[in-house]
Amino acid sequence: MKFIEQLGREWLFFDGGMGSLLQERGLAAGELPETWNITRPEEIQSIHRAYLDAGSDIINTNTFGANALKFPDNLREIVESAVSNAKEARRQSGREDAYIALDLGPTGRLLQPMGDLPFEQAVELFGEVVRIGAAAGVDLVLIETMSDSYELKAAVLAGKENCDLPVLVTVIFDENGKMLTGGTVDSAVAMLEGLRVDALGVNCGLGPKQMLPIVKRLTEVSSLPVIVNPNAGLPRSENGKTVYDIDADEFAALMGEIADLGVQVLGGCCGTTPAHIRKMIETCKGHYFVPVEPKHRTVVSSFSQAVEIGQKPVIIGERINPTGKSKFKAALRENNIEYILSEGLAQEDNGAHILDVNVGMPEIDEPAMMERVVTRLQGVTALPLQIDTSDTAAMERGMRLYNGKPMINSVSGKREIMEAVFPLVKKYGGVVVGLTLDENGIPDSAECRVQIAKKIYDTAAQYGIGKEDIVIDGLAMTISSDSRSALVTLETLRRVRDELGGHTILGVSNISFGLPQREIINANFFTMALQNGLSCAIINPNTDAMMRAYRAFLALTDQDVQCAGYIAAYGNQPTVAPQAAADSAIPFGESIERGLREHAAQAAKAALQTVPPLELVNTELIPALDRVGKGFEAGTVFLPQLLMSAEAAKAAFEVVKDAMRGAPQATRGKIILATVKGDIHDIGKNIVKVLLENYGYQVLDLGKDVAPEVIVDTAIQEEVALIGLSALMTTTVVSMEQTIRLLREKKPDAKVVVGGAVLTQEYADSIGADCYARDAMATVHYADSVFG
């Protein structure tokens, strides 16, 4: 039987930890586990056999860290040897029914614009491994331990574009259900379902007990088979070895609880052994198997937010569009991206849930501009985007580089349009706007518009796109030229809702074109459309009349609990029409909070005309960073926004330094940062570096894969009082402990702060660290306490 025929229809079981078992067999601190595929193949085969004998249906190749960044010279040999070892173990064990998964872990680098790794280079890094593994004969691809949804998307595209094997995905969530870059269960599921992976789930970072609420939400929202591969509890250090706090019996009992939540695939990660997996399989096979059921949810997402369409009406901000907007057209011609970002932020502030992005003008390169605007917008706002274009090249560029599952505007009933757009939606995912017009134009009856809606649904289904990923545009045509047009549109909305069970959308303001005092018509028509089932409204949320109508409708239809939203908007302030941020100067501090680099630099120049440089830093720049940091800690600001704010602060600080040129440059303290020996993952370290520098610290960045002796010698020579150590992998935290031990011996006055996905407070305590920093801001706070 083929793997895909079993997936989601019967229990399937993964293997458990690899790195932790290699450490038990002598893997040295800093030694790359993948090299054992060549130097000690018998050990790798032995571990595979042990998991197969325990009952695992799927074993993962020892290729978690295999990519051209880590193995530029012998990647092919590493991957081919890993696959050969897995095949040999399967042959020796007589388990020809078992499957071999090509294991892909993260590159360890952040993608642009947050980091320095281009998206397409990331796709190629993963793609190279996939091509080698597929040619060597793996049965499926497992992308695991992903903490950044953008890198995850690159890996999925690499898997899909370089082989025809099943692609499975597991990501890391913290105990609050968040990925490193802010993703939630809902946003991750939406993106992965859109990309049409074959199964999804969670692994590493947490034990099964801590994963329970995350798994519960996964099974509630996912229409795909769910995978759960936890650690054997939480790690700690004993006598220089990393151990975990859950034995095989307790692990199996907890995995039984997880199985009952409706999971289809189970396994283990760090710290789990063949004994854990054997006991888990014995336990879970006796539990009732729950097949996968489609949830039929209509969801668009960004890197950190998911918006479900159909629960209550959704506002789509229309202002990022050149039609009728001279300032916006000028911004596009002049490549003034920050004006465009300001328009987006103003709409977010005034209540938009999704931002429409249309950058089409004859005299510009629309695909290139779509790429710039989409990527920059996702650096300053967490709102999902609607990619709005009739240029399929621009549409594909935007969809490919979009970090999430976007809305797509649009298709129509014209076959050539559907044939151009639906393949893109099938590949990249999206919720598509379906215009109720076809080769014969715009029908003047609701009946004909409903028939076109049916045609769009049917054609989409031929591409594997469900009705839940189509939102029908009933077409608001101006009543100034046809007095019945509003009635036809309202009937279309009502029939799509009641007869087709579909969701709808309108560009509401089209209804009043050519009439005076258009907001009167718009607001009243908006209310009528909502009453007739409108799901999504493309409007200007900066217009008070439209938002009054929206908030009043929610309150009157019991969709605003205790009128909380209405009261929040109108209860404690005078009724003043909101103003777009782009229409006025953005204050210095706010430009930093918003991550607007050019605005921040210009605002700093203006402020320095009246404020001394150091005073500006202490009264404006640092407080703005503090506000962003507090938002990050509270979960209202996400990592991309945190980093963009840091970049804006950096731009402003450069202006301040120019003003202080010739004056002595003060520093709050000198700090060493390093990713420990054997670990090339420096995402966390680089994030910490950016923030520390913005807070005025001098950072000596020693890079990644740094030996303990180098760190200690630098600390002594530079007289450094604080050292920050980072590690992502279980196999490299031993190097962290060795570094701390050497520091205590040769520079006992130095303080050590540690961080990384595999660490906990208990583990940090057990290896002698002075501070465990669960995120970048915690490191800044500790540095403040050390240096006063």
Side-chain angles (χ1 to χ4, degrees):
M1 183 180 290
K2 292 184 178 180
F3 175 79
I4 207 69
E5 295 171 354
Q6 291 181 262
L7 182 64
R9 295 176 177 86
E10 59 184 86
W11 290 117
L12 286 172
F13 298 101
F14 268 102
D15 59 11
M18 171 65 75
S20 48
L21 295 186
L22 292 180
Q23 284 180 315
E24 290 182 5
R25 295 173 183 233
L27 183 74
E31 187 178 4
L32 300 179
E34 295 81 11
T35 60
W36 279 35
N37 293 325
I38 300 169
T39 62
R40 299 181 65 175
E42 68 286 348
E43 297 287 0
I44 304 298
Q45 293 171 20
S46 173
I47 292 172
H48 286 323
R49 283 199 310 274
Y51 281 123
L52 290 169
D53 291 344
S56 294
D57 302 300
I58 309 161
I59 53 173
N60 299 322
T61 57
N62 182 33
T63 52
F64 176 82
N67 58 63
L69 296 176
K70 187 184 285 188
F71 298 100
D73 301 320
N74 62 339
L75 178 64
R76 178 174 294 279
E77 184 182 12
I78 290 286
V79 175
E80 289 179 344
S81 298
V83 177
S84 176
N85 289 332
K87 283 184 170 182
E88 178 61 18
R90 182 170 62 181
R91 185 193 67 77
Q92 291 175 3
S93 67
R95 287 289 312 280
E96 295 301 326
D97 61 324
Y99 302 101
I100 296 171
L102 179 67
D103 192 348
L104 298 182
T107 62
R109 290 169 62 183
L110 277 174
L111 274 60
Q112 294 176 347
M114 289 190 295
D116 61 354
L117 183 64
F119 182 84
E120 295 298 348
Q121 184 181 344
V123 174
E124 175 53 26
L125 284 168
F126 290 117
E128 184 179 9
V129 181
V130 171
R131 290 191 295 272
I132 298 169
V138 298
D139 302 301
L140 61 131
V141 174
L142 173 69
I143 301 165
E144 66 159 325
T145 321
M146 287 288 175
S147 58
D148 172 20
S149 60
Y150 207 29
E151 184 178 30
L152 173 57
K153 180 172 182 175
V156 171
L157 289 177
K160 292 285 188 178
E161 292 174 350
N162 289 281
C163 73
D164 57 2
L165 300 172
V167 175
L168 283 62
V169 171
T170 56
V171 303
I172 296 180
F173 293 105
D174 63 21
E175 290 188 59
N176 297 316
K178 294 288 182 68
M179 298 173 68
L180 172 68
T181 49
T184 64
V185 169
D186 287 46
S187 67
V189 168
M191 184 185 80
L192 291 170
E193 288 186 344
L195 290 168
R196 285 163 174 74
V197 302
D198 295 287
L200 55 83
V202 59
N203 81 295
C204 203
L206 301 171
K209 185 175 182 179
Q210 293 81 18
M211 280 187 183
L212 279 167
I214 296 168
V215 176
K216 185 175 187 296
R217 185 58 184 167
L218 275 168
T219 56
E220 289 171 348
V221 299
S222 175
S223 297
L224 296 173
V226 172
I227 308 165
V228 181
N229 293 336
N231 290 346
L234 301 177
R236 66 181 186 276
S237 179
E238 286 185 2
N239 301 319
K241 293 184 178 180
T242 302
V243 298
Y244 289 79
D245 63 1
I246 292 182
D247 63 17
D249 289 335
E250 186 177 359
F251 183 81
L254 288 166
M255 293 302 282
E257 292 182 40
I258 285 175
D260 290 338
L261 293 174
V263 171
Q264 289 78 35
V265 187
L266 297 164
C269 199
C270 300
T272 56
T273 66
H276 286 80
I277 299 303
R278 182 186 301 277
K279 193 69 177 179
M280 176 194 73
I281 293 172
E282 291 173 356
T283 299
C284 293
K285 275 193 170 181
H287 287 245
Y288 178 74
F289 180 82
V290 180
V292 181
E293 291 186 3
K295 305 301 188 296
H296 300 298
R297 300 169 72 241
T298 302
V299 182
V300 295
S301 69
S302 67
F303 63 89
S304 66
Q305 290 188 17
V307 174
E308 184 170 357
I309 295 169
Q311 291 190 330
K312 70 178 185 179
V314 169
I315 301 296
I316 302 174
E318 68 181 7
R319 296 293 299 171
I320 303 178
N321 189 318
T323 305
K325 303 179 185 71
S326 58
K327 288 184 179 179
F328 195 93
K329 290 179 180 178
L332 288 175
R333 293 189 192 98
E334 298 163 10
N335 198 29
N336 184 0
I337 302 299
E338 296 229 345
Y339 177 89
I340 300 171
L341 302 185
S342 297
E343 285 286 0
L345 292 170
Q347 294 179 99
E348 179 180 17
D349 289 344
N350 291 321
H353 306 115
I354 298 170
L355 299 178
D356 182 79
V357 179
N358 185 319
V359 294
M361 284 175 54
E363 62 266 44
I364 68 168
D365 182 342
E366 188 177 352
M369 181 59 74
M370 181 66 78
E371 175 181 335
R372 284 195 291 273
V373 172
V374 165
T375 53
R376 286 293 302 277
L377 264 174
Q378 290 206 289
V380 300
T381 177
L383 294 186
L385 304 181
Q386 175 172 267
I387 296 172
D388 183 358
T389 179
S390 58
D391 183 330
T392 52
M395 182 179 290
E396 179 165 21
R397 185 83 68 89
M399 293 174 74
R400 185 175 181 86
L401 295 173
Y402 182 74
N403 190 356
K405 180 184 178 185
M407 286 195 78
I408 305 299
N409 195 1
S410 57
V411 298
S412 67
K414 295 180 180 180
R415 182 156 296 278
E416 63 180 292
I417 301 298
M418 292 188 284
E419 289 176 349
V421 173
F422 283 147
L424 299 180
V425 177
K426 181 179 180 180
K427 179 175 183 178
Y428 297 111
V431 173
V432 190
V433 175
L435 307 176
T436 51
L437 61 88
D438 59 13
E439 289 83 358
N440 298 315
I442 301 173
D444 57 7
S445 72
E447 173 61 29
C448 291
R449 294 185 190 183
V450 169
Q451 291 306 313
I452 293 174
K454 290 180 180 178
K455 179 168 69 172
I456 292 172
Y457 284 146
D458 292 343
T459 307
Q462 296 171 18
Y463 291 87
I465 301 167
K467 185 169 68 174
E468 63 270 18
D469 282 334
I470 305 291
V471 179
I472 298 298
D473 190 333
L475 299 179
M477 310 302 295
T478 179
I479 57 172
S480 63
S481 60
D482 180 358
S483 60
R484 293 190 66 259
S485 63
L487 297 176
V488 172
T489 299
L490 294 172
E491 183 183 350
T492 302
L493 297 179
R494 186 169 59 253
R495 291 185 62 180
V496 170
R497 178 192 65 188
D498 296 342
E499 296 175 16
L500 305 184
H503 300 307
T504 54
I505 188 171
L506 287 178
V508 176
S509 61
N510 294 340
I511 203 71
S512 65
F513 187 77
L515 295 173
Q517 299 291 322
R518 294 181 63 188
E519 68 274 7
I520 299 173
I521 294 291
N522 292 345
N524 283 278
F525 176 67
F526 185 24
T527 301
M528 296 170 72
L530 291 169
Q531 187 65 37
N532 282 274
L534 181 64
S535 309
C536 307
I538 304 175
I539 66 169
N540 178 5
N542 304 332
T543 302
D544 195 46
M546 299 300 281
M547 296 308 294
R548 285 180 181 178
Y550 175 72
R551 294 184 178 112
F553 177 81
L554 294 184
L556 291 166
T557 54
D558 194 25
Q559 298 183 76
D560 181 7
V561 178
Q562 296 181 329
C563 301
Y566 183 88
I567 292 169
Y570 306 116
N572 298 307
Q573 57 186 12
T575 304
V576 178
Q579 296 296 316
D583 293 336
S584 59
I586 297 176
F588 176 51
E590 185 177 340
S591 67
I592 291 174
E593 292 180 61
R594 295 294 200 173
L596 302 174
R597 294 193 295 267
E598 288 83 359
H599 271 296
Q602 292 301 319
K605 287 180 182 178
L608 286 169
Q609 301 299 314
T610 57
V611 181
L614 283 177
E615 182 179 338
L616 185 65
V617 169
N618 292 325
T619 63
E620 291 284 349
L621 194 152
I622 295 298
L625 282 173
D626 285 339
R627 290 192 292 273
V628 175
K630 288 176 181 177
F632 177 69
E633 291 170 332
T636 58
V637 172
F638 302 101
L639 183 61
Q641 297 156 295
L642 179 74
L643 292 179
M644 291 303 102
S645 295
E647 287 297 313
K650 183 178 180 181
F653 196 65
E654 289 301 317
V655 173
V656 173
K657 285 198 294 185
D658 286 342
M660 297 171 62
R661 198 170 299 281
Q665 300 293 308
T667 177
R668 301 178 70 181
K670 191 185 295 185
I671 301 171
I672 286 174
L673 293 181
T675 301
V676 297
K677 185 178 178 181
D679 205 321
I680 67 162
H681 301 85
D682 59 358
I683 290 177
K685 173 184 65 66
N686 291 342
I687 294 168
V688 171
K689 177 184 177 182
V690 170
L691 291 183
L692 286 171
E693 289 180 337
N694 275 281
Y695 275 86
Y697 291 102
Q698 180 185 353
V699 176
L700 305 179
D701 184 0
L702 302 185
K704 53 197 176 186
D705 189 19
V706 185
E709 294 78 11
V710 173
I711 297 170
V712 173
D713 290 346
T714 305
I716 294 170
Q717 292 167 11
E718 298 289 337
E719 298 182 353
V720 176
L722 178 60
I723 294 94
L725 303 177
S726 174
L728 175 73
M729 301 186 300
T730 305
T731 53
T732 59
V733 290
V734 177
S735 296
M736 184 178 283
E737 184 173 6
Q738 290 177 350
T739 304
I740 294 173
R741 191 180 303 122
L742 195 59
L743 279 165
R744 297 299 182 233
E745 177 186 336
K746 296 194 173 183
K747 199 175 190 312
D749 60 320
K751 299 292 185 181
V752 181
V753 55
V754 298
V758 295
L759 295 177
T760 63
Q761 182 66 60
E762 183 181 1
Y763 196 102
D765 292 341
S766 68
I767 62 175
D770 296 291
C771 175
Y772 162 62
R774 62 180 303 156
D775 57 42
M777 282 307 302
T779 307
V780 173
H781 295 326
Y782 184 66
D784 289 345
S785 71
V786 170
F787 292 99

